[in-house]
Amino acid sequence: MKIDVNEKPVELDEKSNIEQLLILLDSPLKGSAIAVNQKIITRSEWASYQLKENDQVSLFQAIAGG
């Protein structure tokens, strides 16, 4: 299945969830924020949120600074 992550195509197995996507992308589970099709998905939903073909995923990393 194909999705876009930050406007770049990514190929995933069918029935992949957000946690699996972050592991595939080697992104940290802590300090990340995710939106799917412009809807924020809370951390508690990541393991159960099933991604679908053509989903548009926005991945943000929290950074410290000022």
Side-chain angles (χ1 to χ4, degrees):
M1 137 177 92
K2 283 187 180 180
I3 65 168
D4 284 338
V5 178
N6 295 344
E7 300 181 6
K8 295 180 183 171
V10 174
E11 190 73 36
L12 291 176
D13 291 333
E14 295 294 323
K15 299 185 180 180
S16 292
N17 63 41
I18 292 174
E19 280 189 358
Q20 292 165 326
L21 171 64
L22 291 175
I23 291 167
L24 175 72
L25 296 175
D26 199 26
S27 291
L29 296 179
K30 291 186 178 183
S32 294
I34 300 283
V36 178
N37 302 321
Q38 300 183 347
K39 178 183 179 256
I40 297 292
I41 308 301
T42 62
R43 173 73 174 94
S44 63
E45 296 176 276
W46 290 1
S48 62
Y49 190 96
Q50 296 296 307
L51 294 164
K52 299 174 195 76
E53 183 82 21
N54 299 316
D55 273 346
Q56 301 294 311
V57 177
S58 298
L59 170 61
F60 305 93
Q61 298 296 316
I63 56 173

